[in-house]
Every structure is written in structure tokens, then in C-alpha cells.
Amino acid sequence: MLDEIRGAFYIAKKDLKEYYFKPPTISWGIAFPLVFALAFLLRGWEKDWLAPGLLTLSLFFGSTSMSAASIVFERRMESFERLLLFPISYLGVAFGKALSSFFFGLLSSTATVAIIWLFLSIPPHNMMLLMLCIVGSALQFSSMGILLSFAVKDPAQAMTIFNSIRFPMMFLSNIIIPVSKLPHYLSWVSLAIPLTYSVEAIRYALIGSYDIIPPQISIPVTFISFFAFLYLAAIMIKRTIP
Amino acid sequence: MDAIVVKNLTKYYDGFLAVDHISFSVKWGELFGFLGPNGAGKTTTVKMLCGLTRISEGDAYVAGYSPLRELKLVKKVIGLVPDVSNLYPELTCWENLIFAGEMYGIKKEELVNRAYELLKLFDLMDKKDSKFKQLSKGQKRKLTMAAALVHKPKILFLDEPTIGLDVRSRRAVWSMIRELNENGLTIFLTTHNIHEAFNLCERIMVINKGKIIAAGSPTELKRRFSGSEVLEVSFTGEISIEEISQIPGVIKASRSGGSFKLVVSDPISVIEELVEKARSRRISLNYVNLRGADAEEVFLKIIGEEHA
């Protein structure tokens, strides 16, 4: 067990060195959420509603961009196969990949956190809970990104495919429009999106209120979906073996 | 138990039979050649032994462990150099070696010493801080080999180790392979290059269309499949072409200037006979040149193909 965690950590460390400055991670992981945040701020959106959404958004884009870069590039260059030669399980490989995305997600969200702190002046409702929710959300997004990356074969198409999934999720998951204000049929779609639970969890931890999902549900769902995505990603890795 | 034991190993890809019930074994310390044309099933076999491709039927033991049931143990004792130099391009040579070592759980101090040792062995010390993507093809190949050796594996799999390399780099890699084997490492080498197999390997197994079609030492294979060889001789005195033509084993004889050119089926016995004839005439042989059968011709004969 300890060997697996250690191996996953080394994979994450290697990924951060290897992909930190890749264009997709920079442009879609840091620049896009930052620009997005500034755009909303300038239009004068209600800050209590906007802040949790922006924080979740930057975590979401940061965590999923890294996985797009690392797995899709490595599968293309056949270096992903190297990881499968090491004495570590497929789950360990998936966890290592998710960890690098997780760390990058945390790192890329610091700019947004700074904006929330400096420009919106929102003191967290519960700092410990906020940290827990940020960790849970980043883990959930990173493992989801790993899973999605197995749907992409060509690195050139990675961002197109990732964004075709990320953008609808963004608009349906409580970041911009409250689920309670969505048409009835779309609110059901929203409840099926894992991102909705992360936004709700972070919203509660940051401002002390939520839209429709209480923290007793949203926080456990965030962690449960992380484990589920990770397990499915391990299955996808196993399926790459012909 | 031998280093590698393969029993009825079989691989189907969506109904296509890529490896067809092959069985063989490789001894500890052997430099074993797995020779075959492209698409013969060489890489598939190696990948099955290393756990990178699922085994459809049969079984195998690598260092005593089965890739079907004890894959993690197999991975601990093998090193694989794939046909593509697939280290991480943005990492330096040093970082690539350290990462490989970390993944095998080698302690930091030991790993640092091992990385230095490998960089020296592969003549890459001056490239220690260069990124992998900045290396030449030959240097990339060498570093990929070094990364496969960082955990001191018991068995090294080399899949087409010199593919795409120029003559100088190829020879450097060959000498490295010989040196590793001389130090006791068991090496399983796949190649489509007959010269590489004949130059390096003690024993060769030829695979074509998923089946083992021949096996033996390079000399045995040459003898079995060459058919004939060319012997050039000259003497210090006179001897007639008719007399030479009558020697058993001489298929064809011709004279060119002062020397004879003989097509022979059994060169050793022909040479012995020529020495005997010269001695009886109180003359001697002053030039002998045996041109072995062309390796590529031998290969084509083994795999049952005609000249293009």
C-alpha cells in the first residue's frame, strides 16, 4: 500500500516537471479561469454568488487541463507504456496521474483565490471545511480528467473534446446559473453532474449557504465520485493493454 | 529453472493469430536472439512476457514468475528497452534515470550512485543535464537502455535495439550489449536484422507468421540453411583444375589468374583435402579465403522466401 502511494507520488512529481509549461495547461488551466473571473467581476455580478463559482471553476479547469496534457501526450508518444512496466498497480498509476492534476489544480486556483480575497473581500465561513472542499473538488476533477483523457487519441483534439464536455457542465452546474432557477428538466441534468456538488460544497464552506444541495450530501458525493472516477480510470488503463 | 520458459504461448488480436503456440526457453546468462521479419510476432511475444500485452493461451515464466499470475514480481526483475526510445522529453537525462529508479523503490543514496554509474557506462556524463529531447538518436537509445538497467534487472529485453541508428551508434550499442552480457546479464534481443542477430547472439530462434521455424547458434543456422559457400585458394606450385574439381564437396571450380574459386558444400573437408593434395606435391597453400554464405540469403531461406 505504501509502495503504491509512494509510486503515485513519484509519477505526480514527474508529471509536474514534464508538463507544467505545456500550452494546454497554461492557457486552459490558469489563463482561462482568470480571464473568466475578471470578466464577471467587471460586469458587476453579485459577489457572494460569484466567488464560490469562480473558485470551483479555476479548480475545475486547472485539474482537468493537466490530465489532458499528461495522458494524451504520453499515450501518443508511447511513454505511457513505461508507467505500466513499473511494479505499481493500474490504480496506483491512475492515482499518480490524478495527483499531478490535483496539485496543478490547487496551484492554478491560487490566482482566483487571490482575486476573491483581494477584490471581493469574502472571509471564509469555515476555513477548515473550505480546505476540505477544495481538496475534495480538486481530487474529483483530476480523476474525472484522467477518465476523460482515455476518450481522446489525438493531442490536437484533446482541448476540443475536453471543452465540449467542460463548457456544458460549467453552465449546468450552479457556477453561473443557480440550479433552483433552471427549468425543471435541466435541474435533473444538473444534479447528475459531479461539478454541481463541488460548487455547492465550496459555496457552503465559503459563504455559509447553498442553493439546493446541503453540505451533508455535497461533500461526501465529492469524495465518493473521486474514488469512483479513479477506479474507472484504473479500468480504462487496464483496457489499454491489448 | 531457466531464465525464461515459454509454453504454448499464443496471442490473438480480434481473431488474428499473431503468436501461434510457441514454446522455448532461455538460459541464465545467455544472449538470446529472437529473429524475424516485421510483423512476425517478436514484439507481441516480448510484450506478453513483460505484461504489456495479455496472453491469450499458454503460459510463461520469467525469472521463475508467471506474467499471468505474478506480474508485479515479473516487473521487478526485468528491464525492457522498447523499439521506440520513449523516455520523457522534457526531463533531463539525470531526471529520467532518477524517476525510473524511484519507481522501483531504490533508496536515494544508492539511486544517485547507480545513476552516475550508468551515465558513465553509457558515455553520457556530459549529457547529464540535457533534456532527453535534445539528445541524438543514438544517445536516446543509450539512455533508454540505461533507464531499463537502473534497478539492476535479472533479465533485459531489448526490442529492436538499433533500429534507425547510424553505423557508429549501432556499433556502440552492440558493444554495450556485449559488455552487459559479459557481466552476466541475461539478454533477450528481438531483431529483424540478421547481421545483428548473427553478430551478437549465442543462440537464435527464428519466428515467422507467429511460429518458431528454426533455432540454433549462428554457425548451425548458417550450416543448415546456407547450402554452399565460396572458397578462394592459391598454391605455391602447379595443380590442375580437373584435380580440384574431383575433390568431394566441390560443387563448382573455376580458375582466375593464379588462384582458384571453388563453390563448396563442406568447406572444412575440402580445405583438409586441398592441404593433403598440396603436401603430396611438396607445395603448399599460400592463400585461403572462405566467404561465408550471405547472411541475408540464409535468413530468406529460413523464412522460406525467394530473392526479390
Side-chain angles (χ1 to χ4, degrees):
Chain A
M1 180 71 175
L2 203 64
D3 283 351
E4 294 282 320
I5 294 170
R6 197 182 294 133
F9 173 76
Y10 290 133
I11 292 173
K13 192 175 80 168
K14 184 270 297 172
D15 274 0
L16 286 169
K17 278 185 194 168
E18 175 84 355
Y19 301 110
Y20 189 77
F21 290 115
K22 285 272 179 195
T25 42
I26 299 296
S27 61
W28 290 100
I30 298 174
F32 176 74
L34 203 60
V35 170
F36 208 73
L38 288 170
F40 276 98
L41 278 174
L42 292 173
R43 283 185 63 88
W45 278 55
E46 190 192 337
K47 65 178 187 178
D48 278 0
W49 178 261
L50 185 63
L54 286 180
L55 182 54
T56 317
L57 190 69
S58 62
L59 279 171
F60 183 52
F61 273 82
S63 304
T64 49
S65 297
M66 183 78 178
S67 39
S70 77
I71 292 196
V72 180
F73 273 111
E74 283 186 11
R75 288 185 69 202
R76 179 65 170 236
M77 294 183 320
E78 298 183 33
S79 52
F80 188 73
E81 210 174 58
R82 292 196 70 77
L83 297 180
L84 307 183
L85 267 177
F86 295 126
I88 183 170
S89 67
Y90 303 125
L91 195 62
V93 173
F95 186 47
K97 287 288 176 192
L99 264 186
S100 58
S101 301
F102 164 77
F103 286 130
F104 188 78
L106 289 187
L107 197 72
S108 63
S109 67
T110 51
T112 314
V113 170
I115 288 174
I116 291 170
W117 226 271
L118 293 172
F119 295 99
L120 303 180
S121 310
I122 299 174
H125 167 69
N126 185 330
M127 185 52 116
M128 289 303 285
L129 194 63
L130 179 63
M131 284 164 69
L132 180 76
C133 292
I134 286 175
V135 167
S137 303
L139 285 172
Q140 182 201 51
F141 302 148
S142 54
S143 58
M144 188 174 74
I146 301 298
L147 187 60
L148 284 179
S149 66
F150 284 94
V152 185
K153 286 201 173 112
D154 185 356
Q157 293 175 340
M159 280 306 139
T160 312
I161 293 173
F162 264 64
N163 288 336
S164 67
I165 297 165
R166 287 194 295 197
F167 278 101
M169 284 175 85
M170 194 176 87
F171 287 103
L172 288 169
S173 60
N174 234 346
I175 289 178
I176 299 163
I177 309 158
V179 175
S180 53
K181 290 183 183 168
L182 286 173
H184 186 63
Y185 67 96
L186 279 180
S187 67
W188 283 106
V189 176
S190 179
L191 288 173
I193 296 173
L195 184 59
T196 307
Y197 297 86
S198 311
V199 182
E200 285 283 75
I202 287 177
R203 175 164 291 127
Y204 179 77
L206 193 64
I207 60 170
S209 67
Y210 56 88
D211 184 29
I212 55 163
I213 306 166
Q216 293 86 341
I217 294 174
S218 59
I219 297 172
V221 166
T222 306
F223 282 93
I224 291 167
S225 54
F226 156 62
F227 287 114
F229 288 141
L230 196 67
Y231 183 72
L232 290 172
I235 292 173
M236 290 307 292
I237 291 174
K238 195 175 179 184
R239 285 182 63 181
T240 61
I241 295 175
Chain B
M1 188 183 255
D2 286 331
I4 300 170
V5 178
V6 170
K7 293 175 180 171
N8 277 317
L9 202 65
T10 306
K11 180 66 190 176
Y12 292 97
Y13 287 116
D14 297 327
F16 170 72
L17 185 55
V19 175
D20 187 1
H21 300 87
I22 61 171
S23 299
F24 61 87
S25 61
V26 178
K27 291 182 173 54
W28 287 107
E30 197 173 6
L31 206 172
F32 180 86
F34 203 48
L35 174 70
N38 293 335
K42 307 183 294 292
T43 300
T44 302
T45 303
V46 167
K47 285 192 168 182
M48 281 194 281
L49 297 176
C50 298
L52 294 177
T53 294
R54 282 179 212 162
I55 294 171
S56 303
E57 286 172 27
D59 203 350
Y61 292 92
V62 179
Y65 304 119
S66 162
L68 278 172
R69 295 174 293 279
E70 301 155 299
L71 185 56
K72 206 168 173 178
L73 293 171
V74 170
K75 286 177 179 180
K76 280 185 180 176
V77 295
I78 60 161
L80 168 67
V81 181
D83 53 352
V84 181
S85 298
N86 61 353
L87 296 186
Y88 301 99
E90 296 292 338
L91 299 190
T92 63
C93 294
W94 180 258
E95 288 168 338
N96 264 301
L97 291 181
I98 294 295
F99 170 63
E102 286 172 339
M103 290 305 292
Y104 287 100
I106 303 171
K107 290 199 169 60
K108 196 176 178 185
E109 194 182 338
E110 189 188 341
L111 178 56
V112 166
N113 291 336
R114 181 68 177 153
Y116 273 120
E117 191 185 321
L118 287 166
L119 286 175
K120 277 181 203 157
L121 180 71
F122 285 89
D123 199 19
L124 288 167
M125 267 309 277
D126 57 331
K127 298 287 173 189
K128 175 178 165 277
D129 298 317
S130 302
K131 286 185 175 179
F132 182 69
K133 68 178 182 185
Q134 294 166 332
L135 303 182
S136 69
K137 265 188 179 180
Q139 289 166 336
K140 280 181 179 169
R141 211 75 197 113
K142 285 203 250 178
L143 193 73
T144 310
M145 279 174 74
L149 292 167
V150 77
H151 58 300
K152 297 185 179 169
K154 290 181 177 175
I155 301 167
L156 180 67
F157 290 91
L158 294 169
D159 193 5
E160 303 280 4
T162 59
I163 197 164
L165 298 187
D166 60 30
V167 177
R168 188 192 287 179
S169 304
R170 187 164 65 230
R171 284 177 187 265
V173 170
W174 281 359
S175 101
M176 201 56 64
I177 293 169
R178 276 194 203 100
E179 196 177 328
L180 291 169
N181 180 245
E182 279 162 16
N183 290 332
L185 183 65
T186 305
I187 297 178
F188 186 104
L189 179 144
T190 80
T191 182
H192 69 276
N193 183 337
I194 180 92
H195 300 290
E196 184 162 279
F198 275 32
N199 251 312
L200 287 174
C201 302
E202 299 159 40
R203 201 156 59 90
I204 295 168
M205 195 153 282
V206 187
I207 183 169
N208 191 28
K209 294 173 185 166
K211 286 185 174 172
I212 303 288
I213 51 170
S217 69
T219 318
E220 283 168 356
L221 289 176
K222 270 188 182 177
R223 191 171 294 156
R224 204 182 320 156
F225 292 96
S226 64
S228 59
E229 291 177 66
V230 175
L231 186 64
E232 288 173 339
V233 289
S234 68
F235 297 87
T236 53
E238 195 53 42
I239 188 163
S240 72
I241 191 163
E242 289 76 21
E243 200 170 353
I244 285 179
S245 302
Q246 285 163 9
I247 294 173
V250 174
I251 298 164
K252 190 180 165 190
S254 59
R255 192 162 195 162
S256 168
S259 64
F260 297 95
K261 189 176 174 184
L262 314 173
V263 178
V264 297
S265 60
D266 182 1
I268 304 297
S269 64
V270 170
I271 290 170
E272 282 171 353
E273 193 65 29
L274 287 169
V275 169
E276 196 52 46
K277 283 201 182 292
R279 193 178 291 150
S280 67
R281 279 165 182 71
R282 295 178 189 281
I283 58 173
S284 59
L285 282 162
N286 66 359
Y287 174 74
V288 177
N289 177 32
L290 178 64
R291 189 156 54 81
D294 184 85
E296 284 176 14
E297 281 180 22
V298 172
F299 183 49
L300 288 172
K301 275 190 181 169
I302 295 172
I303 64 170
E305 289 176 15
E306 296 301 319
H307 281 287

